[in-house]
Amino acid sequence: MAFESLTDKLQNVFKKLKGKGRLTEADVKVALKEVKMALLEADVNFKVVKQFTKSVQEKAIGQDVMNGLNPGQMVIKIVNDELVNLMGSETTELPIKQGNDLTVLMMVGLQGAGKTTTVAKLAGKLKSKGKRPLLVACDVYRPAAITQLQVNGEKQGVEVFSMGDKQNPVDIAKAAIEHAKSNQQNVVMIDTAGRLHIDEDMMQELENIKANVNVDATVLVVDAMTGQDAVNVAQNFSDKVGIDGVILTKMDGDTRGGAALSIKAVTGKPIFYVGMGEKLSDLEQFYPERMASRILG
Ligand code: GDP
């Protein structure tokens, strides 16, 4: 992991300074150079890195070193706290309504990001919390996507609503909501079509669904392994369709953490969950604290 040795690096920088009671500007600058390098190596957005190091610097200079810590540990503590801040401080819950009130989620993302898998993972999670989800196959361009959703839905014991590939996604979504209402299902999850790249048709289709269906939350699924591309994709969807938050997939393979660190700072949208593997149980809530510890090692 690019970040793995950040704590060690900082400790080394500060070894010579052991015993000093206050962090001087020169000390902090040396440490921040290391932090900056590590963040850039991790593919964190450049502007975010700049802002981040600036705020660590402001907080660290002149700071009294806490009892029991050496100056290196003190800077690491400040860096840790700022990393947590950067990622939004607290875990953000998906906005699912209480009781039997119907929640409609629209799941969006590029092809291959892991959307279909994630939709099924999430349905399983909601089911285990006592919800009754309905998965809706709105990717009418790829019959294989419909089949995949059906296979995954079956594994999770969650119904999949499909009208094949000849109907308009707006009509499918509307019919699915009626179906959910008459079958006492309370979370409708619309699996929309993804493309390989962002294109106008895809965005237009998502806007159409949103304009015609009462969507409570739009959730973007992005691949963490694509680093800054994931952040750009999130920004694009946020600007064009509007999103309420993100699920970052393939965090098990992401050794750098750049996307996780930048998404909230760049788009202002929280990360709800992270995908940690291919199995349908591999979905975890996102904890900024844990991510910061993983980065600092
Ligand atoms: P979609 O095109 O966005 O619907 O993507 P899929 O759901 O078909 O997923 C694409 C590939 O990514 C599949 O091989 C999934 O098993 C894999 N995948 C999805 N989420 C994760 C994850 O969190 N970790 C890993 N390692 N693989 C994942």
Side-chain angles (χ1 to χ4, degrees), residues 109-118 121 142 145 148 152 191 221 225 248-253 274-279 282:
L110 294 184
Q111 202 174 307
K115 185 163 46 61
T116 309
T117 311
T118 303
K121 284 178 176 177
R142 289 189 308 145
Q148 193 196 348
N152 284 340
D191 185 24
V221 177
M225 288 174 75
L248 258 187
T249 62
K250 310 185 195 179
M251 283 292 282
D252 50 312
V274 287
M276 295 301 292
E278 293 194 82
K279 290 203 301 290
D282 296 332

Side-chain angles (χ1 to χ4, degrees), residues 7 13 21 30 32 64 68-69 87 92 100 112 117 136 145 157 169 176 185 201 223 247 252 254 260 273 289:
T7 298
V13 169
V30 177
L32 279 182
D64 286 327
L69 296 185
M87 291 181 282
T92 311
N100 277 331
T117 311
V136 186
Q185 284 148 326
D201 288 347
D223 178 347
I247 297 181
D252 50 312
D254 176 38
Y273 284 96
E289 288 272 2

Side-chain angles (χ1 to χ4, degrees), residues 106 108 170 190 204-219 237-238 240-244:
M106 183 165 89
V108 302
V170 172
I190 304 170
Q204 189 58 53
E205 181 170 302
L206 299 175
E207 281 170 36
N208 281 349
I209 296 175
K210 259 193 149 167
N212 289 286
V213 170
N214 210 345
V215 172
D216 294 297
T218 303
V219 180
F237 273 89
S238 187
K240 300 217 168 89
V241 190
I243 58 171
D244 295 280

